[in-house]
């Protein structure tokens, strides 16, 4: 049978069905758990399990034949899965049955699920698909009332209902067309106000075609079982993880290998090992992942790996920093990684995924832009300025196939000239129709250009520039307003910033209002106004927080207030602030209607023009996953010594696992830090983070003078409890520098 994606496949179920017919024994997906144990599905097995889920959903729907089956009224199935392969047949099975799959985040056992509650409230699912293990770990008493009423179905415990439902499951093409809703993709970040992007089958297929055209890698349509491999650790509920990590390899006919996001975060070396072990030719991630690998993988850990098979390393989902990618390429060039394998790209859920990228992987195209000119929304290529006066920006290539990009004045809605910064607007086959049940927001975000023959710099620029003439625009064409700022230079798109307030760290979006609410409720001290915003770090964007404290707050409470804020934000949002400022009342700028002016607050903090009483800033270079911050006992004394020493020991062990990539089984209290591979830079980070948590003033030499977990914990505990330090026997100190 001839397989031709362009001519024959209009929907994802059709695509999967054709793959299962063409090469049923070819491995479609492999999941590798933290112990290295594999589970796998062939294309044939995936299709069979998909039909099984579809049959179960069809049987549920047949109970009420009167319910509407129009695309917008199709029933919704919330997908609540731990990392693993069970997600895949649930996702495709919902589509085959004519349901709308709604991927959502992996639940932590016996915890509240505010994200799931919010999505449930918004899309009103009729069922929650999951597994027996996940369902067993859900505490219904901690769910919102509506969520608790939704039936939960374990896809790994379904009977074979194909015979019972008959042709309705087998003739699945009656349920799915190009106009069917393929999924609701909920934007990441806000837990209180989620938005479900309506992605149709037409959108997905168009974007997958754009992806493989941009990637310049071949389809694998031969009937044999051998196929190239793609590796991903990205979560399936994220647009890059789902479209780029799951659907694109399936479209290509490849074998996909997955590890969990947590597995990568704990030990970044696992990502590269999977690429090496399976000979993967394509894999990618947000900017922060390349930083983590460069920071956390010791040279000896990677020495035995071979990355020469890795042909395409895509990077997107957050601001792309050239230094991050260049450092990664330099760091792993000795084991076969090629700098011309990078594929920087730009996209967002509202565009299904990819909006712009190159014509295949290539050497990075980086330009240095004068910062002063950028503040005036103009682009001037810097030549001889000091590095501190320029911004280095990576090209995100040209518009993806089927997509049109315009740079637009957000006030006049007219296109601006090249080398002028404006809002990025998109239109084309991949652009979605809007958000679920958000008519007012859809009117604002999906709109039209104003026709204009003469394009001039917009009113919101502070500096005049020469006008340029372009052809008049079609004022009836519908565009997506991305909220991102960018410009076109030499035909390539460069992303320059964001109009919106959302904070992006490690590829995840965080709504500042949610973080601000957490900060206000973080401890016993009453905090007035507060603001959350993005701040630049040495290698990645981080989170900054300003909180107003009462005038009579004692100075000796400042450090504990910051620890309470950090602990609350980490626990609630899984992000550790890079910067926390405690300020005097009335310093957080507000609008006349009482709204926080986050951009103005950020500018005041960066210019050191805010009336502050205390400032804490993390010392680490990379934007690392946060470590838990255990609460230390109050009013410490000698009786607390053993307890504090145990807490510090546990923290140091966690630090070595998360920051250095040490296997937990190798952690020993008496083992020297240099045996774990700590160099001088890592010792600085260890001392800085331990000081941030404990409040004990430390220097990098402390790691040399107290070279084990046991001796370091004893020293810190002695300082905190005001007792004499009891030193264990030490051998001569040396650090691998």
């Amino acid at each position: 049978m001839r397989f031709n994606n362009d001519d024959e496949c209009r929907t994802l179920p059709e695509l999967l069905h054709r793959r299962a017919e063409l090469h049923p024994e070819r491995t479609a997906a492999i999941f590798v758990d933290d112990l290295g144990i594999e589970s796998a599905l062939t294309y044939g097995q995936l299709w069979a399990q998909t039909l099984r889920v579809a049959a179960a959903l069809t049987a549920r729907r047949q109970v009420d034949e009167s319910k509407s089956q129009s695309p917008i009224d199709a029933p919704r199935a919330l997908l609540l899965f731990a990392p693993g392969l069970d997600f895949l047949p649930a996702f495709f099975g919902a589509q085959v049955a004519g349901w709308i799959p709604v991927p959502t985040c992996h639940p932590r056992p016996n915890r509240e699920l505010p994200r799931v509650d919010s999505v449930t409230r918004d899309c009103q699912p009729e069922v929650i698909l999951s597994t027996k293990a996940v369902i067993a770990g859900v505490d219904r008493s901690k769910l919102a009332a509506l969520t608790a009423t939704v039936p939960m179905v374990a896809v790994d415990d379904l009977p074979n209902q194909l015979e019972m439902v008959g042709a309705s499951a087998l003739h699945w093409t009656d349920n799915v067309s190009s106009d069917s809703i393929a999924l609701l993709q909920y934007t990441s970040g806000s837990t209180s106000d989620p938005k479900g992007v309506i992605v149709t089958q037409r959108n997905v297929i168009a974007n997958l075609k754009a992806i493989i055209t941009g990637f310049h890698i071949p389809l694998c349509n031969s009937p044999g079982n051998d196929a190239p491999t793609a590796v991903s650790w990205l979560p399936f509920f994220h647009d890059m993880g789902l479209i780029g990590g799951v659907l694109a390899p399936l479209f290509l006919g490849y074998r996909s290998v997955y590890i969990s996001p947590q597995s990568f975060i704990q030990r970044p070396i696992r990502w590269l090992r999977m690429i090496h072990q399976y000979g993967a030719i394509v894999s990618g991630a947000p900017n922060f992942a390349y930083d983590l690998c460069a920071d956390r993988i010791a040279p000896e850990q990677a020495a035995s790996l071979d990355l020469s098979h890795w042909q395409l390393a895509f990077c997107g989902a957050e601001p792309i920093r050239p230094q991050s990618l260049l450092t990664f390429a330099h760091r792993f060039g000795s084991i076969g990684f090629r700098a011309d394998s990078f594929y920087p790209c730009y996209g967002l859920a509202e565009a299904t995924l990819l909006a712009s990228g190159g014509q295949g992987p290539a050497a990075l195209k980086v330009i240095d832009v004068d910062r002063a000119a950028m503040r005036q929304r103009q682009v001037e290529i810097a030549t001889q300025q000091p590095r501190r006066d320029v911004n280095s920006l990576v090209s995100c290539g040209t518009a993806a196939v089927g997509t049109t990009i315009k740079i637009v004045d957000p006030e006049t809605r007219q296109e601006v000239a090249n080398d002028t910064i404006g809002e990025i607007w998109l239109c084309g086959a991949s652009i979605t129709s809007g958000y679920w049940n958000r008519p007012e927001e859809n009117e604002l975000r999906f709109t039209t250009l104003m026709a204009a023959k003469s394009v001039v710099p917009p009113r919101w620029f502070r500096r005049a520039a020469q006008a340029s003439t372009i052809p008049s625009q079609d004022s009836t064409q519908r565009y997506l307003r991305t909220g991102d700022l960018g410009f076109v230079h030499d035909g390539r798109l460069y992303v320059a910033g964001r109009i919106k307030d959302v904070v992006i760290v490690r590829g995840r979006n965080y709504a500042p209002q949610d973080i601000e609410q957490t900060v206000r409720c973080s401890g016993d001290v009453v905090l007035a106004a507060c603001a959350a915003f993005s701040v630049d770090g040495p290698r990645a964007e981080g989170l900054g927080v300003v909180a107003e404290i009462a005038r009579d707050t004692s100075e000796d409470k400042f450090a504990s207030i910051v620890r309470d804020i950090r602990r609350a934000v980490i626990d609630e949002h899984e992000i550790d602030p890079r910067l926390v400022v405690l300020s005097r009342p009335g310093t957080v700028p507000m609008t006349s209607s009482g709204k926080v002016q986050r951009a103005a607050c950020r500018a005041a903090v960066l210019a050191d023009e805010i009336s502050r009483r205390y400032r804490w800033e993390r010392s680490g270079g990379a934007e690392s996953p946060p470590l838990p911050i255990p609460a230390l006992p109050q009013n410490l004394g000698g009786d607390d010594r053993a307890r504090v020493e145990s807490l510090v020991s546990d923290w140091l062990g966690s630090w070595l696992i998360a920051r250095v990539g040490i296997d937990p089984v190798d952690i020993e209290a008496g083992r020297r830090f240099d045996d774990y591979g700590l160099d001088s830079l890592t010792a600085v980070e260890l001392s800085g983070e331990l000081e941030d948590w404990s409040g004990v003033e430390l220097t990098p030499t402390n790691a040399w003078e107290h070279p084990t977990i046991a001796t370091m914990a004893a020293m810190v505990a002695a300082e905190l409890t005001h007792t004499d330090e009891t030193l264990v026997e030490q051998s001569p100190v040396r650090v691998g520098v």
Side-chain angles (χ1 to χ4, degrees), residues 3-70:
F3 185 94
N4 188 308
N5 294 69
D6 290 337
D7 296 337
E8 298 182 20
C9 291
R10 301 169 298 111
T11 69
L12 292 174
E14 187 175 359
L15 172 67
L16 178 58
H17 179 229
R18 297 292 177 85
R19 288 282 175 212
E21 285 188 333
L22 182 63
H23 29 241
E25 301 303 319
R26 178 184 296 175
T27 299
I30 297 172
F31 179 76
V32 183
D33 68 15
D34 291 351
L35 299 177
I37 300 173
E38 290 186 359
S39 54
L41 286 173
T42 66
Y43 278 97
Q45 290 169 335
L46 177 54
W47 179 246
Q49 291 191 23
T50 292
L51 290 182
R52 196 170 196 171
V53 174
L57 292 177
T58 300
R60 298 184 67 88
R61 196 61 176 171
Q62 285 178 341
V63 174
D64 187 354
E65 295 287 358
S66 64
K67 292 187 177 182
S68 169
Q69 292 299 307
S70 67

Side-chain angles (χ1 to χ4, degrees), residues 675-691:
D675 289 342
Y676 294 119
L678 262 69
D679 57 15
S680 57
L681 176 60
T682 316
V684 169
E685 292 187 352
L686 171 61
S687 302
E689 291 201 52
L690 181 56
E691 179 178 332

Side-chain angles (χ1 to χ4, degrees), residues 545-608:
V545 173
V546 172
E548 295 179 0
I549 56 176
R551 296 182 186 278
D552 59 354
T553 304
S554 173
E555 290 185 5
D556 60 8
K557 292 185 176 180
F558 290 169
S560 64
I561 292 172
V562 168
R563 283 196 292 272
D564 286 342
I565 289 173
R566 293 177 59 213
R567 186 180 299 115
V569 173
I570 288 172
D571 185 62
E572 186 71 22
H573 305 283
E574 299 181 337
I575 177 177
D576 192 358
R578 174 173 287 280
L579 171 70
V580 179
V581 174
L582 304 182
S583 68
R584 300 181 186 278
T587 56
V588 173
M590 301 279 190
T591 66
S592 58
S593 60
K595 295 180 180 179
V596 177
Q597 293 181 305
R598 299 181 183 94
C601 187
R602 177 182 185 274
V605 169
L606 296 182
D608 202 22

Side-chain angles (χ1 to χ4, degrees), residues 12 15-16 19 28-31 43 46 84-85 87-89 91-92 95 103 183 185 204 208 211 215 230-259 282 284 314 353:
L12 292 174
L15 172 67
L16 178 58
R19 288 282 175 212
I30 297 172
F31 179 76
Y43 278 97
L46 177 54
L85 301 184
F87 172 92
L88 302 179
F91 176 76
F92 292 112
Q95 295 181 18
L183 72 148
Q185 177 67 62
V204 175
L208 291 174
I211 288 171
F215 280 8
V231 165
S232 177
W233 54 264
L234 298 167
F236 292 170
F237 60 85
H238 189 278
D239 54 348
M240 181 186 282
L242 179 58
I243 308 297
V246 175
L247 301 184
L250 184 146
F251 192 89
L252 289 159
Y254 286 15
R255 175 182 65 168
S256 296
V257 178
Y258 304 108
I259 59 174
V282 58
F314 59 84
L353 181 63

